[in-house]
Amino acid sequence: MSALESEELRGLYEETSTIAVVGCSANPDKPANKVPRYLQEVGYRIVPVNPREEMILGERSPDALGEVDVAVDLVVVFRPADEAPQIAADAVSVGA
């Protein structure tokens, strides 16, 4: 990653308060739990999105990004690459 890309990412995270995590896991051994847990610990509001879980990291887990009932600044994705185009479209539709 170039220095410019690092700066852009840093700026994005400085402007962010709420992060939806599509594919967030309840399993503490998986990166899909470790990463959002860390983000939560450093002060971000995490909205886990996982149809198989009701609660993750102390937060209600909606089945889909379109069901998130708070404003989302950023979407982090832990899903297979072939699902990314639809998740990106959903992220745009919720204003992330």
Side-chain angles (χ1 to χ4, degrees), residues 20-22 49 62-69 72 75 87-92 94 96:
V21 182
V22 178
V49 178
D63 292 348
L65 195 51
E67 295 177 18
V68 173
D69 60 1
V72 173
V75 177
I87 294 169
D90 293 346
V92 170
V94 300

Side-chain angles (χ1 to χ4, degrees), residues 1-16 44 74:
M1 179 180 301
S2 73
L4 179 58
E5 290 170 325
S6 293
E7 281 300 312
E8 289 174 356
L9 283 173
R10 188 173 293 113
L12 182 62
Y13 277 100
E14 286 173 356
E15 298 171 2
T16 295
Y44 294 101
L74 184 72

Side-chain angles (χ1 to χ4, degrees), residues 27-64:
N27 181 339
D29 296 326
K30 290 187 170 186
N33 180 279
K34 290 178 181 183
V35 171
R37 184 172 3 113
Y38 169 77
L39 291 170
Q40 193 178 52
E41 288 170 359
V42 297
Y44 294 101
R45 164 108 190 258
I46 297 300
V47 179
V49 178
N50 184 325
R52 293 186 213 116
E53 302 289 339
E54 288 186 32
M55 298 282 289
I56 302 174
L57 300 171
E59 296 282 345
R60 184 183 72 78
S61 179
D63 292 348

